[in-house]
Amino acid sequence: MSSRTSPICRPITIRRAVARDAKRLTRLVRGSGAYAGKYAAAVAGYRVGPDYIETHRAFVAVGADEPGGQVLGFYSLVLAPPELDLLFVADEAQGRGIGRLLVAHMQSEARAAGLDRVKVVSHVPAEDFYHRVGAVRTGTALANPPAVPWDRPEFEFRIPSE
């Protein structure tokens, strides 16, 4: 089984992000291999600040048995308008099901907040991931140069009530 498809082997905990996570989350975004090459400029100066973490519902996936609780991934849910603003999994942790866990957690948070849909403007290389975790393609977000000089797929998670 390749490392991209191996199941989660170690316990993962998802917890609310706190201000002291900001630097680690920023490093995770800026170091993402999905933003290498022509996409690098989109995250080169990106910063996940303590103010962002305090304003939005940001959650981190940490290895429960990793020293210092290594951040393996995170997401941020904006409630109004409902949007999955950020979702990143560390390159070395991809293929372990962490992204899928984060999406399931996000859907649970959205349901608890009374949302029935959550929009996602995806990074082009993440399009297949969103299809695999149940998001439905709804359109295209047009390029917005110079920050984002390419069109991006738009998705929606439909959040069923329980």
Side-chain angles (χ1 to χ4, degrees):
M1 201 180 247
S2 78
S3 64
R4 302 258 330 145
T5 59
S6 60
I8 296 173
C9 300
R10 293 173 279 198
I12 304 295
T13 300
I14 298 177
R15 65 164 171 80
R16 188 80 184 244
V18 294
R20 71 177 177 272
D21 292 321
K23 288 182 182 177
R24 291 192 285 181
L25 301 186
T26 296
R27 280 194 302 271
L28 200 153
V29 169
R30 290 182 184 175
S32 173
Y35 284 89
K38 71 178 184 176
Y39 300 116
V43 296
Y46 199 88
R47 179 179 168 269
V48 180
D51 53 336
Y52 180 90
I53 291 170
E54 292 171 10
T55 303
H56 303 295
R57 292 187 183 206
F59 290 85
V60 295
V62 295
D65 60 352
E66 311 241 359
Q70 178 187 4
V71 173
L72 302 172
F74 78 101
Y75 77 89
S76 174
L77 175 63
V78 175
L79 296 181
E83 182 173 1
L84 176 60
D85 187 39
L86 299 170
L87 173 63
F88 282 85
V89 174
D91 291 350
E92 66 276 7
Q94 291 182 11
R96 292 172 45 190
I98 295 166
R100 189 173 291 278
L101 279 176
L102 288 169
V103 166
H105 190 274
M106 178 277 300
Q107 290 172 313
S108 178
E109 284 292 311
R111 186 176 303 106
L115 303 177
D116 64 353
R117 297 171 189 274
V118 175
K119 173 183 168 180
V120 179
V121 178
S122 175
H123 180 47
V124 176
E127 185 170 3
D128 287 342
F129 167 77
Y130 285 111
H131 279 293
R132 286 193 312 271
V133 295
V136 176
R137 176 86 187 252
T138 57
T140 300
L142 298 178
N144 184 18
V148 184
W150 53 85
D151 293 347
R152 294 161 293 154
E154 279 189 0
F155 290 90
E156 181 176 85
F157 285 103
R158 295 186 179 125
I159 311 296
S161 58
E162 287 189 327

